[in-house]
Amino acid sequence: MAQATIMIDGMSCMHCVGRVKQALDALEGVSEASVEIGSVAVTFDESKVSEADIEAAIEKSGYKIKK
Ligand SMILES: [Cu+2]
């Protein structure tokens, strides 16, 4: 299992938290996503999903990754 903390731009309320949480829970290989406004701490199985996949799923749900 790998862990990453990803910073996210554009989140402003619990609705945003719910959207990001839903997007990550739907990704195979993500075992835990702890979402806050502006960031997510995620635990994932590197053999199934990459950090880039996780970032892509967040962007697809409408938010920007802060590098
Ligand atoms: Cu919101």
Side-chain angles (χ1 to χ4, degrees):
M1 286 291 170
Q3 283 189 318
T5 301
I6 297 168
M7 306 302 287
I8 305 168
D9 244 351
M11 294 175 73
S12 57
C13 66
M14 290 316 285
H15 172 80
C16 301
V17 169
R19 283 188 60 162
V20 171
K21 173 87 176 137
Q22 203 172 33
L24 296 181
D25 284 346
L27 266 192
E28 195 185 341
V30 172
S31 65
E32 197 184 332
S34 172
V35 186
E36 290 174 35
I37 294 171
S39 72
V40 57
V42 63
T43 305
F44 58 100
D45 182 341
E46 292 165 291
S47 67
K48 291 184 180 158
V49 70
S50 69
E51 195 171 334
D53 293 331
I54 292 166
E55 292 182 354
I58 293 168
E59 294 203 314
K60 209 172 149 193
S61 70
Y63 305 99
K64 286 261 170 279
I65 304 304
K66 211 190 285 183
K67 290 288 183 184

PDB file of all heavy atoms in Angstrom, residues 10-17 19 37 63, ligand 1:
ATOM      1  N   GLY A  10      -9.847  24.707  -5.757  1.00  0.00           N
ATOM      2  CA  GLY A  10     -11.208  24.870  -6.241  1.00  0.00           C
ATOM      3  C   GLY A  10     -12.279  24.270  -5.345  1.00  0.00           C
ATOM      4  O   GLY A  10     -13.460  24.390  -5.644  1.00  0.00           O
ATOM      5  N   MET A  11     -11.863  23.623  -4.254  1.00  0.00           N
ATOM      6  CA  MET A  11     -12.850  23.072  -3.326  1.00  0.00           C
ATOM      7  C   MET A  11     -13.255  24.160  -2.340  1.00  0.00           C
ATOM      8  O   MET A  11     -12.404  24.887  -1.842  1.00  0.00           O
ATOM      9  CB  MET A  11     -12.261  21.886  -2.558  1.00  0.00           C
ATOM     10  CG  MET A  11     -11.942  20.697  -3.433  1.00  0.00           C
ATOM     11  SD  MET A  11     -11.131  19.375  -2.507  1.00  0.00           S
ATOM     12  CE  MET A  11     -12.501  18.723  -1.544  1.00  0.00           C
ATOM     13  N   SER A  12     -14.546  24.263  -2.048  1.00  0.00           N
ATOM     14  CA  SER A  12     -14.960  25.327  -1.137  1.00  0.00           C
ATOM     15  C   SER A  12     -15.948  24.903  -0.064  1.00  0.00           C
ATOM     16  O   SER A  12     -16.213  25.667   0.864  1.00  0.00           O
ATOM     17  CB  SER A  12     -15.546  26.491  -1.943  1.00  0.00           C
ATOM     18  OG  SER A  12     -16.623  26.016  -2.723  1.00  0.00           O
ATOM     19  N   CYS A  13     -16.530  23.733  -0.177  1.00  0.00           N
ATOM     20  CA  CYS A  13     -17.550  23.368   0.805  1.00  0.00           C
ATOM     21  C   CYS A  13     -17.687  21.853   0.915  1.00  0.00           C
ATOM     22  O   CYS A  13     -16.993  21.112   0.229  1.00  0.00           O
ATOM     23  CB  CYS A  13     -18.897  23.974   0.404  1.00  0.00           C
ATOM     24  SG  CYS A  13     -19.555  23.289  -1.136  1.00  0.00           S
ATOM     25  N   MET A  14     -18.587  21.391   1.757  1.00  0.00           N
ATOM     26  CA  MET A  14     -18.752  19.961   1.966  1.00  0.00           C
ATOM     27  C   MET A  14     -19.259  19.251   0.709  1.00  0.00           C
ATOM     28  O   MET A  14     -19.061  18.059   0.532  1.00  0.00           O
ATOM     29  CB  MET A  14     -19.716  19.693   3.145  1.00  0.00           C
ATOM     30  CG  MET A  14     -19.128  20.064   4.498  1.00  0.00           C
ATOM     31  SD  MET A  14     -17.402  19.541   4.746  1.00  0.00           S
ATOM     32  CE  MET A  14     -17.627  17.792   5.014  1.00  0.00           C
ATOM     33  N   HIS A  15     -19.920  19.990  -0.154  1.00  0.00           N
ATOM     34  CA  HIS A  15     -20.363  19.413  -1.418  1.00  0.00           C
ATOM     35  C   HIS A  15     -19.146  18.988  -2.253  1.00  0.00           C
ATOM     36  O   HIS A  15     -19.120  17.911  -2.839  1.00  0.00           O
ATOM     37  CB  HIS A  15     -21.211  20.444  -2.172  1.00  0.00           C
ATOM     38  CG  HIS A  15     -21.566  20.036  -3.570  1.00  0.00           C
ATOM     39  ND1 HIS A  15     -22.591  19.160  -3.847  1.00  0.00           N
ATOM     40  CD2 HIS A  15     -21.015  20.367  -4.765  1.00  0.00           C
ATOM     41  CE1 HIS A  15     -22.645  18.975  -5.163  1.00  0.00           C
ATOM     42  NE2 HIS A  15     -21.723  19.692  -5.741  1.00  0.00           N
ATOM     43  N   CYS A  16     -18.144  19.840  -2.279  1.00  0.00           N
ATOM     44  CA  CYS A  16     -16.908  19.528  -3.001  1.00  0.00           C
ATOM     45  C   CYS A  16     -16.236  18.306  -2.377  1.00  0.00           C
ATOM     46  O   CYS A  16     -15.746  17.431  -3.089  1.00  0.00           O
ATOM     47  CB  CYS A  16     -15.942  20.711  -2.929  1.00  0.00           C
ATOM     48  SG  CYS A  16     -16.596  22.242  -3.612  1.00  0.00           S
ATOM     49  N   VAL A  17     -16.195  18.265  -1.064  1.00  0.00           N
ATOM     50  CA  VAL A  17     -15.604  17.125  -0.357  1.00  0.00           C
ATOM     51  C   VAL A  17     -16.319  15.839  -0.780  1.00  0.00           C
ATOM     52  O   VAL A  17     -15.682  14.832  -1.089  1.00  0.00           O
ATOM     53  CB  VAL A  17     -15.697  17.327   1.177  1.00  0.00           C
ATOM     54  CG1 VAL A  17     -15.349  16.050   1.930  1.00  0.00           C
ATOM     55  CG2 VAL A  17     -14.787  18.475   1.613  1.00  0.00           C
ATOM     56  N   ARG A  19     -17.977  15.244  -3.534  1.00  0.00           N
ATOM     57  CA  ARG A  19     -17.697  14.894  -4.941  1.00  0.00           C
ATOM     58  C   ARG A  19     -16.352  14.217  -5.094  1.00  0.00           C
ATOM     59  O   ARG A  19     -16.212  13.237  -5.819  1.00  0.00           O
ATOM     60  CB  ARG A  19     -17.742  16.159  -5.820  1.00  0.00           C
ATOM     61  CG  ARG A  19     -19.158  16.600  -6.113  1.00  0.00           C
ATOM     62  CD  ARG A  19     -19.192  17.705  -7.123  1.00  0.00           C
ATOM     63  NE  ARG A  19     -18.603  17.291  -8.403  1.00  0.00           N
ATOM     64  CZ  ARG A  19     -18.806  17.911  -9.552  1.00  0.00           C
ATOM     65  NH1 ARG A  19     -19.576  18.977  -9.581  1.00  0.00           N
ATOM     66  NH2 ARG A  19     -18.244  17.484 -10.655  1.00  0.00           N
ATOM     67  N   ILE A  37     -11.420  19.987   2.740  1.00  0.00           N
ATOM     68  CA  ILE A  37     -11.457  21.069   1.758  1.00  0.00           C
ATOM     69  C   ILE A  37     -10.021  21.448   1.421  1.00  0.00           C
ATOM     70  O   ILE A  37      -9.272  21.864   2.299  1.00  0.00           O
ATOM     71  CB  ILE A  37     -12.247  22.286   2.310  1.00  0.00           C
ATOM     72  CG1 ILE A  37     -13.720  21.897   2.476  1.00  0.00           C
ATOM     73  CG2 ILE A  37     -12.102  23.489   1.386  1.00  0.00           C
ATOM     74  CD1 ILE A  37     -14.556  22.930   3.200  1.00  0.00           C
ATOM     75  N   TYR A  63     -12.100  19.524 -10.183  1.00  0.00           N
ATOM     76  CA  TYR A  63     -11.155  20.313  -9.381  1.00  0.00           C
ATOM     77  C   TYR A  63      -9.754  20.248  -9.968  1.00  0.00           C
ATOM     78  O   TYR A  63      -9.468  19.426 -10.817  1.00  0.00           O
ATOM     79  CB  TYR A  63     -11.201  19.819  -7.931  1.00  0.00           C
ATOM     80  CG  TYR A  63     -12.612  19.872  -7.410  1.00  0.00           C
ATOM     81  CD1 TYR A  63     -13.405  18.729  -7.370  1.00  0.00           C
ATOM     82  CD2 TYR A  63     -13.198  21.082  -7.065  1.00  0.00           C
ATOM     83  CE1 TYR A  63     -14.730  18.788  -6.978  1.00  0.00           C
ATOM     84  CE2 TYR A  63     -14.517  21.155  -6.672  1.00  0.00           C
ATOM     85  CZ  TYR A  63     -15.287  19.996  -6.625  1.00  0.00           C
ATOM     86  OH  TYR A  63     -16.596  20.063  -6.251  1.00  0.00           O
TER      87      TYR A  63
HETATM   88 CU    CU B   1     -18.349  23.025  -2.862  1.00  0.00          CU
END
